[in-house]
Amino acid sequence: MVIIDIIRQNGDFGFEASDANGHVVRIDTSPETGGTNYGVRPMQLLLMGLGGCSGIDVVSILKKQRQELTQFSMHIEAERESGVEPSLWKSARIVFTMAGNIDEDKAKRAAQLSMEKYCSVAETLRRGGCEISWEVRLEAGN
């Protein structure tokens, strides 16, 4: 069982979420809806979870394939439904950028395996109707 504690810390909507290991994330709403930019928006946090989940998958797969990954980053752009409540994510696009001694086909396959098989956050978003696309970019660099 996973346990998360949420405590209001700042103004009306500034919360701190913590796990059993003491990791803390600040959460808030936008200033337009009464927040103070104390923390990340809950729906953005979901996209960060997508990136973290998939990033762990991809790096793990490439390590098992003995690929020499020297740099790794992800860029996520997403769009929510408009004019409805709740407003779910309707699309997300991920760009995986990597450098090192990496076979391009293996990098693309690692991203595909993460997005289509291993990443629980991606599957959760898909089941909510989000269309997820991705691409892999290899850059020179050590």
Side-chain angles (χ1 to χ4, degrees), residues 32-57:
E32 296 79 26
T33 57
T36 63
N37 275 324
Y38 176 74
V40 68
R41 313 295 180 264
M43 289 296 282
Q44 293 170 347
L45 191 57
L46 187 58
L47 294 179
M48 290 177 183
L50 171 64
C53 181
S54 182
I56 290 168
D57 289 342

Side-chain angles (χ1 to χ4, degrees), residues 102-120:
I102 306 165
D103 179 270
E104 185 174 3
D105 290 336
K106 288 183 179 182
K108 288 179 178 179
R109 179 69 175 145
Q112 179 185 18
L113 284 169
S114 175
M115 290 288 96
E116 295 179 0
K117 183 174 183 181
Y118 295 119
C119 181
S120 300

Side-chain angles (χ1 to χ4, degrees), residues 45-95:
L45 191 57
L46 187 58
L47 294 179
M48 290 177 183
L50 171 64
C53 181
S54 182
I56 290 168
D57 289 342
V58 171
V59 171
S60 177
I61 292 166
L62 291 174
K63 283 182 65 127
K64 288 176 184 172
Q65 295 176 337
R66 302 188 195 285
Q67 299 297 294
E68 295 177 31
L69 187 65
T70 58
Q71 294 178 17
F72 180 87
S73 64
M74 297 170 68
H75 178 81
I76 302 172
E77 293 183 5
E79 191 173 339
R80 288 175 69 178
E81 300 169 322
S82 61
V84 297
E85 292 293 334
S87 174
L88 305 180
W89 290 113
K90 67 179 186 177
S91 66
R93 176 146 181 80
I94 304 169
V95 177

Side-chain angles (χ1 to χ4, degrees), residues 1-4 19:
M1 175 183 301
V2 174
I3 298 172
I4 302 294
D19 68 6

